[in-house]
Amino acid sequence: MFSKDRWKEILEVLSSNMLRTVATAFGVGWGIFILIILLAAGKGLENGIRQDFNGVATNTMFMWTETTTLPYQGLPEGREFNFKLGDVDLIRRNVPGLRIISPRNRLRPTEGDNVIRGTETGKYRVYGDYPEIIQQNPFYVAHGRFFNYNDIDEKRKVVVIGDGIRQDLYEKDEEVLGTNLRISGVNFMVVGTYKEKTSNGGGENSEREIFVPFTTFSQAFNRADNVGWMAITAADGGSISELSEAIIQTVKQSRKVHPDDKRAIGFFDLYAQYNRVESLFGALKFIAFFVGVLVLISGIIGVSNIMLIVIKERTKEIGIRRALGENPWSIKQQILMESIFLTIISGMVGIIFGALSIFGINSLLDVVGPVDMFLNPSVSLGVVLVALLILVVSGLLAGFIPANSAIKVRPIEALRTE
């Protein structure tokens, strides 16, 4: 029940030695402040790394050919080979649980510029792909369209270019769609432009790649049915890591590669890499909580020590109250309320300063622009509620020992205390 006299007494006790109270409160407020800042920094790092994965089909592996290191079926070691377009259907038949298999070819830039548009030239990577590649990469069509299976079937000479290429080869307001580009001596018509979904772009190759229908690429650049590499995505709910060995063994058998040859086929498991990053996020949160709680505990210990000093100073007062018949639980409740009040007030100040600091950091990021692997540091409402719960529990713990010490003093001994 609310008691005006009790709260008046609590305020008088805490304000009787303001310097001591402020110094004690600082430890708790600093602990909560550190906890919030650490969690916000961890969230900012998590947001920045997740932004790099934005739009990427993370349940994907990339596979390419290298040089054999073991002889097999009469073929020598050190043999170079290529995947074939037929391997795509072979994988699809033999390995269930796959959603997308995208065969790819790439035209490496020569020493000179490989793309010409009027009087403008440039050196860019050119990829031969199927339409599904847009579901596996972090980009979207900004203008026009992406190529489709009609383009694949009819081997149309169409391309989709990055917005960076548009800036390099075209005037600012010039129409891009329907214009022609000459790529390594072959003319193509631009049907679309793309932009990356990530906001941390701006690198040398950012939005500076060209996509061509796979069949057109093979015909224009003499690739026959060869496949340079594949991007393979597992179905939803599955794991490409669990299917990778079956995929590799399937193409080894097709390309007559020794089953035990570990270096003939290279691959990169993006799903495994993403899971490592997810584990890192969990570790960062644990470390932030651990360090923040340790700092907070040091502040709580300070509160408990100060409350013991306060009880020592009020021994005679407590003895008089006991002699007049006050219930021991009433005295214990008084001490606990003082401890909880001091802890919560100081903790709320720490939360406020933490929130202001996070706001300031985000405002600074808005001014200076995106920072690599760091984006929008923040804490959720759930974190604030957990912090408040920690404060309440901490206040109880900080006042428990002093409160027990207060009610154990015998009235006659307390009255003798000078």
Side-chain angles (χ1 to χ4, degrees):
M1 182 180 295
F2 178 81
S3 173
K4 183 178 179 180
D5 291 337
R6 172 159 291 182
W7 281 105
K8 182 179 179 181
E9 183 180 352
I10 290 174
L11 293 176
E12 287 177 352
V13 170
L14 295 179
S15 61
S16 61
N17 192 328
M18 187 58 70
L19 180 61
R20 183 175 65 188
T21 300
V22 171
T24 304
F26 178 80
V28 177
W30 181 251
I32 288 294
F33 175 80
I34 292 296
L35 176 62
I36 289 178
I37 291 299
L38 287 175
L39 291 174
K43 187 64 176 178
L45 181 61
E46 179 180 345
N47 290 339
I49 295 176
R50 286 187 186 277
Q51 184 72 15
D52 289 338
F53 284 100
N54 184 30
V56 179
T58 54
N59 201 3
T60 299
M61 66 173 287
F62 303 94
M63 182 173 64
W64 59 91
T65 62
E66 295 186 351
T67 303
T68 62
T69 58
L70 295 174
Y72 187 63
Q73 294 186 358
L75 298 173
E77 63 179 286
R79 175 172 59 94
E80 295 184 352
F81 65 101
N82 291 304
F83 295 136
K84 299 294 182 180
L85 201 54
D87 293 332
V88 176
D89 292 329
L90 186 64
I91 294 172
R92 191 172 283 115
R93 290 195 306 268
N94 292 350
V95 184
L98 299 177
R99 183 165 67 93
I100 302 173
I101 306 176
S102 294
R104 308 193 72 184
N105 277 320
R106 185 175 75 176
L107 186 66
R108 297 179 182 273
T110 57
E111 292 184 1
D113 293 338
N114 63 333
V115 177
I116 300 174
R117 194 262 162 178
T119 58
E120 302 293 334
T121 63
K123 180 188 294 186
Y124 307 105
R125 292 179 179 177
V126 183
Y127 293 95
D129 279 304
Y130 276 80
E132 291 85 355
I133 196 65
I134 199 171
Q135 301 177 45
Q136 298 172 297
N137 276 301
F139 62 79
Y140 65 96
V141 175
H143 193 43
R145 67 177 179 87
F146 203 68
F147 51 78
N148 52 45
Y149 269 93
N150 287 332
D151 300 319
I152 292 287
D153 295 338
E154 298 178 17
K155 300 179 182 178
R156 294 173 181 167
K157 293 181 180 178
V158 296
V159 295
V160 177
I161 65 174
D163 195 63
I165 297 177
R166 180 191 63 79
Q167 296 174 24
D168 293 345
L169 303 183
Y170 293 82
E171 298 295 331
K172 183 177 181 181
D173 298 323
E174 187 177 0
E175 179 58 54
V176 176
L177 302 184
T179 60
N180 290 322
L181 293 180
R182 191 170 183 82
I183 303 174
S184 295
V186 182
N187 288 321
F188 292 85
M189 183 177 71
V190 178
V191 296
T193 64
Y194 75 86
K195 286 187 176 182
E196 293 183 344
K197 293 181 180 178
T198 60
S199 63
N200 297 334
E204 181 180 352
N205 296 320
S206 175
E207 299 173 353
R208 284 177 169 81
E209 296 175 338
I210 299 175
F211 296 91
V212 180
F214 185 90
T215 51
T216 309
F217 185 101
S218 298
Q219 183 180 64
F221 303 115
N222 275 331
R223 297 300 174 89
D225 64 341
N226 290 329
V227 173
W229 51 300
M230 302 184 198
I232 306 173
T233 302
D236 294 341
S239 168
I240 195 66
S241 300
E242 296 175 358
L243 301 174
S244 60
E245 185 60 27
I247 294 170
I248 292 173
Q249 290 301 327
T250 297
V251 292
K252 280 184 177 179
Q253 183 178 6
S254 173
R255 295 298 102 213
K256 296 183 179 180
V257 175
H258 197 288
D260 297 330
D261 194 334
K262 302 297 183 182
R263 301 181 64 179
I265 295 177
F267 73 97
F268 175 74
D269 189 340
L270 181 61
Y271 185 67
Q273 189 73 15
Y274 184 75
N275 283 338
R276 291 191 188 98
V277 173
E278 288 285 318
S279 300
L280 174 64
F281 295 155
L284 287 176
K285 289 178 182 177
F286 174 78
I287 292 172
F289 265 110
F290 184 74
V291 174
V293 169
L294 284 181
V295 177
L296 182 59
I297 288 174
S298 66
I300 297 302
I301 292 174
V303 172
S304 183
N305 289 334
I306 292 301
M307 293 306 298
L308 285 171
I309 296 173
V310 170
I311 296 301
K312 184 68 174 176
E313 293 174 349
R314 297 167 62 192
T315 301
K316 191 169 184 177
E317 172 199 332
I318 293 171
I320 294 172
R321 292 167 64 174
R322 291 287 304 278
L324 293 175
E326 185 171 356
N327 191 325
W329 166 246
S330 177
I331 297 175
K332 187 174 184 178
Q333 187 180 26
Q334 175 80 20
I335 303 300
L336 289 174
M337 288 179 66
E338 291 175 7
S339 175
I340 293 174
F341 180 74
L342 176 60
T343 304
I344 290 180
I345 292 299
S346 55
M348 289 299 296
V349 172
I351 290 175
I352 292 171
F353 275 97
L356 291 175
S357 299
I358 294 171
F359 177 79
I361 293 172
N362 279 297
S363 298
L364 181 62
L365 290 176
D366 289 339
V367 173
V368 302
V371 177
D372 288 342
M373 293 194 301
F374 194 77
L375 176 69
N376 188 28
S378 60
V379 292
S380 64
L381 178 61
V383 171
V384 176
L385 294 177
V386 170
L388 290 175
L389 179 61
I390 291 174
L391 289 176
V392 173
V393 174
S394 300
L396 286 172
L397 293 176
F400 185 76
I401 296 176
N404 279 339
S405 176
I407 64 175
K408 287 180 180 178
V409 178
R410 297 177 62 184
I412 189 65
E413 294 176 357
L415 291 172
R416 291 175 179 170
T417 303
E418 294 294 333

